[in-house]
Amino acid sequence: MSRGSREVERSILRLLHGQKSRTQLTQIHAHILRHQLHHSNQLISHFISICGSLNRMLYASLIFQHFQNPNIFLFNCMIKGYSLCGPYQNSILFFSTMKRRGIWPDEFTFAPLLKACANLEDLELGQGVHKHVLALGFGRFGSIRIGIVELYSGCGRTMDAKKVFDETPHRDVILWNLMIKGYSQSGNVDMGLGLFRQMGERTVVSWNLMISLLAQNGREKEAVALFHEMRNGEFEPDEATVVTVLPVCAQLGELDLGRWIHSYVKSKGLYPNLVSVGNALVDFFGKSGDLETAFTIFKDMPRKNVVSWNAAISNCAFNGKGELGVQLFDEMLDEGVRPNDSTFVGVLACCAHAGLVQRGGDLFDSMMASHGIEPTIEHYGCMVDLLGRGGCLKEAHKLVKTMAIEPNSAIWGALVSACRTHGEMELAECALKELIKLEPWNSGNYVLLSNIYADIGKWEEVEKVRVLMRENSIKKSPGQSAVV
């Protein structure tokens, strides 16, 4: 290669790794072609690597196909790119193609390959890759050990992951984090927390991970306590911390802490520029009943995504402002934001709270017709609630009977509640019988059915329900008082 060509190649590499590569990828590619550097394995390896980091693997694949004799570096870049972006199976396919061509894998091949297996949650395939690693003597490399631990912990094989972890002489933070996550996700949160306490070195990621895992496993108070511990140490909360802790604050009613986080993110510049932080704040203040602050934050957000709109619409339903929620939905469509299934759960709930039966029905019909969204059990539940509140009980029953999916206990329960409210005892009886089929162990359903029979004077049926309870060994739950 001439000196001029080397200068051009270095210039292209600087462009590739610059801040504007996302928007200039096609121009950089054209630059490579114009200077006839498209056969440079090194340059194209870098290009494909950047494509992987930008989730442009289709583009990378098209470029790769033009190489008649791709080397190990190009294959490794393709394997790594697909392990990050998916489809993860393509990493395996490229590995197989590489072997068929007689190209020997190196230590950089296996870490992304193991990650692809972990993402696929394919234990058998991952074990096959692990055997390759051992056969070639690559088990000593740190990145490969991380891949093996991630595979086994992600597939619920924590004992296998711990064996590799224990055999690793120099354990970095990533390895500790993977083991903590593996134990916690397999249900052993205490073991994960114990490992967290043993860590000699922690990063913000470690704190965020442990706080998140505690919250996900119903240990919200411990998650908040750990957050305070993090604050008292040398670690500053980041975007991920805020997004993790704010929902916990809303759930526990920790209003003062939520407001402190609001002040903190403003002082650190995390708000309003980060959409995820803005969304978390809107959700927190809405669920805390401070709709005014939630809407102020929502309006001040320079960028909004569908999650932002969903949070604002759901807040309206949560705070009894159904008509405002429907208006927001219309504004969202006018802004060109495409709704998703969560959007419709929120706006249908708004219609139910506001008594907008016709509008709710129209929105439900538009889900599939205009937006290609198949109704889920949550959408049907909202519609049954909407029709029930509006006294349209026959329509609600017809909807339940014609649902595209099997109605669950929540659906039948909503219908029972609406029927009792409007005095439709025969329909309530029918719905309760369906509930008992679904939940034969739930004493409350039998008691409700017995009460309905008593209300309409069907004493023989009352006795039959009691006999049925005795035959099924169902005992009425004892009454409890909250007064101490």
Side-chain angles (χ1 to χ4, degrees):
M1 185 183 289
S2 67
R3 183 178 176 183
S5 295
R6 281 197 295 271
E7 285 294 327
V8 172
E9 187 169 330
R10 281 196 287 268
S11 172
I12 292 171
L13 285 172
R14 283 194 295 271
L15 286 172
L16 271 175
H17 294 283
Q19 293 182 346
K20 295 182 180 179
S21 61
R22 180 180 294 275
T23 55
Q24 295 181 345
L25 208 57
T26 51
Q27 294 96 314
I28 295 170
H29 187 203
H31 204 44
I32 292 170
L33 293 171
R34 187 164 57 250
H35 290 277
Q36 297 184 350
L37 293 170
H38 52 286
H39 293 302
S40 165
N41 270 286
Q42 182 191 11
L43 191 57
I44 297 303
S45 293
H46 280 273
F47 192 91
I48 287 174
S49 180
I50 296 298
C51 285
S53 67
L54 299 176
N55 199 8
R56 298 286 298 274
M57 285 309 294
L58 181 59
Y59 194 1
S61 185
L62 291 171
I63 291 171
F64 180 89
Q65 287 170 20
H66 285 88
F67 258 80
Q68 290 185 343
N69 296 301
N71 63 9
I72 181 67
F73 302 113
L74 279 173
F75 272 106
N76 284 349
C77 288
M78 293 301 293
I79 291 167
K80 183 178 180 180
Y82 279 118
S83 78
L84 295 172
C85 309
Y88 306 122
Q89 294 92 333
N90 285 5
S91 290
I92 315 301
L93 291 173
F94 270 93
F95 178 64
S96 300
T97 303
M98 187 177 88
K99 286 202 301 180
R100 282 199 307 271
R101 292 196 177 198
I103 298 174
W104 206 248
D106 61 14
E107 66 269 26
F108 300 106
T109 309
F110 288 105
L113 200 59
L114 285 161
K115 185 172 187 63
C117 295
N119 288 334
L120 289 168
E121 296 183 2
D122 193 327
L123 179 63
E124 187 177 349
L125 187 62
Q127 287 173 324
V129 175
H130 190 187
K131 287 178 182 176
H132 270 291
V133 167
L134 295 174
L136 294 171
F138 290 144
R140 67 187 185 279
F141 291 99
S143 60
I144 292 176
R145 284 180 180 269
I146 287 170
I148 294 166
V149 170
E150 183 176 13
L151 168 73
Y152 287 131
S153 60
C155 292
R157 298 285 289 267
T158 50
M159 294 298 290
D160 292 326
K162 187 67 162 59
K163 185 174 183 293
V164 177
F165 179 82
D166 289 339
E167 291 170 353
T168 303
H170 304 292
R171 302 167 197 152
D172 62 10
V173 174
I174 297 172
L175 210 58
W176 281 92
N177 289 348
L178 285 170
M179 279 308 307
I180 291 166
K181 185 179 180 182
Y183 273 118
S184 300
Q185 288 185 337
S186 66
N188 198 339
V189 185
D190 288 324
M191 184 66 82
L193 187 57
L195 279 176
F196 177 80
R197 294 298 183 194
Q198 292 174 38
M199 290 179 75
E201 177 192 355
R202 299 186 189 118
T203 63
V204 174
V205 174
S206 309
W207 288 93
N208 291 346
L209 174 66
M210 198 65 244
I211 292 168
S212 174
L213 290 168
L214 286 168
Q216 288 168 21
N217 284 275
R219 296 167 67 163
E220 292 85 359
K221 289 184 179 179
E222 290 176 77
V224 170
L226 197 63
F227 173 69
H228 286 305
E229 189 180 328
M230 175 187 178
R231 279 177 57 197
N232 293 333
E234 299 177 356
F235 295 91
E236 285 196 356
D238 63 5
E239 173 189 358
T241 322
V242 170
V243 172
T244 299
V245 176
L246 276 174
V248 178
C249 292
Q251 191 170 348
L252 295 178
E254 291 274 0
L255 302 186
D256 289 341
L257 180 55
R259 292 189 185 104
W260 179 88
I261 291 173
H262 185 202
S263 300
Y264 172 83
V265 298
K266 285 196 290 187
S267 68
K268 295 296 179 181
L270 299 177
Y271 164 81
N273 296 320
L274 294 173
V275 178
S276 61
V277 172
N279 292 346
L281 286 167
V282 171
D283 184 65
F284 164 74
F285 282 109
K287 285 179 178 174
S288 301
D290 189 349
L291 202 57
E292 184 178 346
T293 303
F295 270 104
T296 300
I297 293 167
F298 176 74
K299 289 174 184 175
D300 287 346
M301 289 173 67
R303 292 185 296 118
K304 301 178 181 73
N305 58 19
V306 66
V307 178
S308 319
W309 289 93
N310 289 354
I313 292 166
S314 296
N315 283 343
C316 291
F318 189 79
N319 289 280
K321 301 287 184 182
E323 290 188 7
L324 180 58
V326 176
Q327 288 176 23
L328 275 174
F329 176 79
D330 291 334
E331 284 180 32
M332 175 184 174
L333 295 184
D334 290 341
E335 292 282 336
V337 180
R338 186 173 180 176
N340 60 19
D341 56 347
S342 297
T343 316
F344 279 97
V345 171
V347 74
L348 288 173
C350 285
C351 291
H353 287 289
L356 303 173
V357 178
Q358 183 61 51
R359 183 67 200 278
D362 292 342
L363 286 169
F364 183 78
D365 292 338
S366 75
M367 281 178 59
M368 189 64 201
S370 303
H371 303 283
I373 298 172
E374 289 276 358
T376 66
I377 200 78
E378 287 83 7
H379 299 116
Y380 283 112
C382 289
M383 280 304 297
V384 171
D385 185 37
L386 169 66
L387 293 168
R389 285 173 185 249
C392 307
L393 301 174
K394 289 182 179 177
E395 291 87 344
H397 187 226
K398 182 181 177 183
L399 178 65
V400 174
K401 297 294 284 184
T402 57
M403 280 171 58
I405 47 183
E406 196 69 27
N408 62 9
S409 57
I411 298 286
W412 287 112
L415 186 58
V416 169
S417 178
C419 289
R420 294 193 74 201
T421 300
H422 294 280
E424 282 283 351
M425 295 306 182
E426 287 187 14
L427 190 50
E429 174 191 349
C430 174
L432 268 167
K433 286 179 178 177
E434 295 292 340
L435 257 181
I436 289 171
K437 287 180 187 175
L438 287 172
E439 299 178 340
W441 42 265
N442 190 340
S443 63
N445 296 330
Y446 295 91
V447 173
L448 274 176
L449 183 58
S450 178
N451 290 344
I452 285 172
Y453 284 139
D455 289 343
I456 57 179
K458 289 187 175 182
W459 301 108
E460 288 182 8
E461 297 299 327
V462 170
E463 186 56 33
K464 285 180 182 178
V465 172
R466 289 175 180 170
V467 170
L468 184 61
M469 288 182 72
R470 283 196 296 271
E471 288 175 350
N472 292 337
S473 301
I474 305 295
K475 292 184 179 180
K476 181 181 174 184
S477 300
Q480 293 180 331
S481 173
V483 180
V484 179

